Amino acid sequence: MSDDTLILDADDTLWENNVYYEDVRDAFAERMAREGFDRAAAVAMVDAVELERVPRVGYAPQEFVRSIGIAYERLCERHGLLPRAEVAAEVEAIARRVLDHPIVLLTGVAETLPALRRRFRLILLTKGDLAVQQSKVARSGLASFFHAVEVVPEKGPDVLRALVGRYGLDPQRTWMVGNSPRSDVNPALAAGLGAVYIPHPVPWDFEQTPIAAPERVIELARFSDLLHHFPGLEAQ
Ligand SMILES: [Mg+2]
């Protein structure tokens, strides 16, 4: 097996994820507007509740559903109103759309992974709820491309250093590939690995943070550009 390794993020790198959450935010804001609340304030409340809760409860979609419910309660509270049970039920139904969305691969992923696997050892690294993320990997149909699949509650330099140790990786020949400056790029830089940043057109604000050392980062427009960046792949 090759000594060159790509550690691949999954959500919004291999498949769509945040768009489903943005759809729920929009639908929630729309529903709140019908209650007389300002749309932008409703979205800002969701963001505030998430910022407060995610570090404590993690990334499970069930927790996002709860955060949307809390956002409704807090909007009511702010305006001196009592939450209404029928509205709370509608809000929950809107939020629950994130629980059963399909797995839609991003453009070029299915075509690119076979070529990458011939050249690299591929490790999938995704953060979130164990059962939820494992289910997404299974439904993606991509599991067989990976030497290993790792699900962690949160990503950081220590997680990457642990992978380096567990799989005997050479940091000089290992790249973390992902869409998130906060969870993929900066941890890779801190751990002394290569970093490949593939921004998603609909990013989650929570994941956006300045990149620590942009001059060390390979930024690509799309997943299939990995074939052009690493020599020797296109000819295979
Ligand atoms: Mg991601």
Side-chain angles (χ1 to χ4, degrees):
M1 179 169 294
S2 169
D3 286 334
D4 291 347
T5 300
L6 297 183
I7 303 173
L8 298 174
D9 170 52
D11 289 341
D12 294 318
T13 296
L14 299 180
W15 54 70
E16 297 286 6
N17 184 68
N18 190 50
V19 289
Y20 304 109
Y21 288 78
E22 294 298 331
D23 285 349
V24 167
R25 280 184 177 80
D26 290 345
F28 173 71
E30 172 70 32
R31 185 65 191 83
M32 291 299 95
R34 281 167 45 206
E35 291 301 297
F37 298 124
D38 179 71
R39 277 166 206 262
V43 172
M45 184 63 86
V46 172
D47 291 345
V49 172
E50 284 205 287
L51 197 61
E52 173 192 312
R53 294 189 76 239
V54 164
R56 197 154 39 82
V57 301
Y59 299 91
Q62 311 87 278
E63 295 295 349
F64 176 76
V65 174
R66 182 73 196 111
S67 290
I68 292 282
I70 291 171
Y72 168 56
E73 292 164 10
R74 292 209 186 150
L75 284 170
C76 291
E77 195 179 326
R78 175 185 286 173
H79 294 272
L81 303 167
L82 284 176
R84 295 197 291 135
E86 65 271 29
V87 178
E90 276 185 57
V91 161
E92 181 174 343
I94 289 168
R96 290 181 65 84
R97 293 178 201 165
V98 298
L99 298 181
D100 58 359
H101 65 76
I103 299 297
V104 176
L105 300 185
L106 293 176
T107 306
V109 166
E111 298 80 0
T112 304
L113 279 176
L116 292 179
R117 186 174 61 163
R118 284 194 288 271
R119 157 84 195 274
F120 293 95
R121 172 170 33 195
L122 301 180
I123 296 174
L124 189 149
L125 174 62
T126 179
K127 72 177 189 305
D129 179 82
L130 179 62
V132 170
Q133 295 307 99
Q134 284 179 335
S135 163
K136 287 198 275 191
V137 174
R139 285 183 288 141
S140 75
L142 300 178
S144 65
F145 288 108
F146 294 95
H147 177 73
V149 173
E150 298 275 349
V151 181
V152 293
E154 184 64 279
K155 290 181 188 171
D158 289 350
V159 167
L160 293 173
R161 288 190 198 102
L163 291 187
V164 166
R166 186 175 318 148
Y167 297 103
L169 309 180
D170 177 352
Q172 300 294 318
R173 300 175 69 175
T174 300
W175 293 262
M176 174 77 220
V177 180
N179 70 294
S180 169
R182 187 179 74 88
S183 296
D184 303 315
V185 175
N186 285 345
L189 294 173
L193 308 182
V196 181
Y197 176 38
I198 309 178
H200 188 281
V202 186
W204 182 22
D205 289 344
F206 189 81
E207 298 287 350
Q208 301 305 105
T209 192
I211 288 175
E215 70 283 0
R216 287 174 52 204
V217 175
I218 302 156
E219 181 168 340
L220 302 178
R222 57 191 70 77
F223 193 80
S224 58
D225 288 347
L226 286 164
L227 298 177
H228 313 299
H229 179 78
F230 289 99
L233 281 169
E234 289 173 281
Q236 288 176 342

